[in-house]
Amino acid sequence: MLGLGNSIGGGSALEEAFTPEGLSSAIHFWRADVGVEESDESFPEDGEQVTKWRDQVGSEHATASSDYPVYNTSETALNFDGASKQLVLPSGDVSLSGDFSIWVRVKFVNITNSDKFLIDSSDTNMFWRITSTTKSRLKTAAGAGGNNDFTIPTISTSTDYNLAIQRSSGSVRLYLNGTESSTGALSETAAITFDRIKGAINDHFKALLVCNSALSETERSNVNTWLDDNL
């Protein structure tokens, strides 16, 4: 009898189902369906304050001591509904000095240039955001020289999007739902740092994945499909 763990061809064990946590380069992963806590460490009910969001890969369990985001049960999402709401990483800056891949899943309620996904509290010139319905910016330094602006297909409210920004050998590219921005590659070698999850303010923020390498086409496809299927 064939064992369930083997292929019919006899030889190799079937691969386990893909999860972002299983990526060899994944260093941090926050997902809105698990690891979300209110003050008594239980999973929050709708509208309750989120005091901790547990990192499913590393140990950066992001917390808030005031200005809490709240949980949205129907969306399986965190709402950072106010300019001061954010979650703080306990170890300080996550620093990505070489290749990287950062993913977010979000459903927009309002689309403005205040919709920052992540920030560095000690450097106002370091962030990743949606700028408008057709632009996204990775900011790395003061002035126009630090603006990495990508054109994206027009986004709208009430739709889930997977956005990824990644660097390979100094070339930074942005992807929306698996498709690369028409901008193509921009040259950027500065370290990317952040110590706060800003969560796009009034939108439904569902996941943040950080990898310390650029993902392959197959890995990007797998992450995109997983996010669509699970969040």
Side-chain angles (χ1 to χ4, degrees), residues 108 111 130 132-135 152-157 161 163 176:
F108 295 100
I111 301 171
I130 284 293
S132 69
T133 58
T134 58
K135 296 285 184 182
I152 56 176
T154 303
I155 58 175
S156 61
T157 57
Y161 293 101
L163 289 108
L176 176 67

Side-chain angles (χ1 to χ4, degrees), residues 161-173:
Y161 293 101
N162 303 322
L163 289 108
I165 194 159
Q166 71 174 37
R167 176 165 60 198
S168 178
S169 301
S171 293
V172 181
R173 301 174 187 273

Side-chain angles (χ1 to χ4, degrees):
M1 177 180 290
L2 289 171
L4 293 179
N6 294 328
S7 68
I8 292 176
S12 57
L14 292 172
E15 291 183 358
E16 296 182 1
F18 173 86
T19 64
E21 293 99 317
L23 287 166
S24 61
S25 61
I27 56 174
H28 305 293
F29 185 35
W30 297 269
R31 47 188 286 190
D33 59 335
V34 296
V36 186
E37 296 181 3
E38 58 174 312
S39 58
D40 65 1
E41 299 185 351
S42 65
F43 200 92
E45 296 179 0
D46 191 55
E48 290 187 327
Q49 295 175 334
V50 174
T51 60
K52 180 179 287 187
W53 198 5
R54 290 189 174 274
D55 183 354
Q56 299 301 304
V57 174
S59 58
E60 293 293 340
H61 305 314
T63 61
S65 57
S66 61
D67 292 327
Y68 306 98
V70 298
Y71 195 71
N72 187 309
T73 301
S74 63
E75 290 291 342
T76 312
L78 280 70
N79 295 143
F80 293 73
D81 53 344
S84 61
K85 296 183 185 298
Q86 57 190 12
L87 289 171
V88 180
L89 304 187
S91 298
D93 284 346
V94 171
S95 181
L96 302 166
S97 58
D99 292 356
F100 67 85
S101 185
I102 306 174
W103 290 70
V104 296
R105 182 167 175 85
V106 60
K107 179 185 286 187
F108 295 100
V109 177
N110 297 299
I111 301 171
T112 74
N113 62 10
S114 296
D115 286 334
K116 296 177 180 177
F117 305 134
L118 46 86
I119 62 172
D120 189 329
S121 63
S122 63
D123 185 351
T124 58
N125 294 303
M126 183 68 67
F127 57 79
W128 180 26
R129 77 178 186 198
I130 284 293
T131 303
S132 69
T133 58
T134 58
K135 296 285 184 182
S136 180
R137 171 176 292 178
L138 176 67
K139 180 77 168 175
T140 59
N147 297 344
N148 296 276
D149 289 323
F150 295 89
T151 299
I152 56 176
T154 303
I155 58 175
S156 61
T157 57
S158 304
T159 299
D160 287 300
Y161 293 101
N162 303 322
L163 289 108
I165 194 159
Q166 71 174 37
R167 176 165 60 198
S168 178
S169 301
S171 293
V172 181
R173 301 174 187 273
L174 185 140
Y175 299 85
L176 176 67
N177 292 340
T179 300
E180 185 180 350
S181 162
S182 60
T183 304
L186 298 178
S187 178
E188 178 58 78
T189 59
I192 309 304
T193 62
F194 68 95
D195 64 353
R196 302 284 192 274
I197 299 174
K198 199 70 179 73
I201 302 191
N202 294 313
D203 306 313
H204 302 307
F205 198 72
K206 303 187 176 187
L208 170 60
L209 170 68
V210 183
C211 300
N212 61 6
S213 74
L215 300 189
S216 68
E217 182 178 356
T218 297
E219 288 172 327
R220 292 195 305 271
S221 177
N222 286 341
V223 173
N224 196 67
T225 298
W226 188 93
L227 291 171
D228 285 343
D229 290 347
N230 292 276
L231 292 170

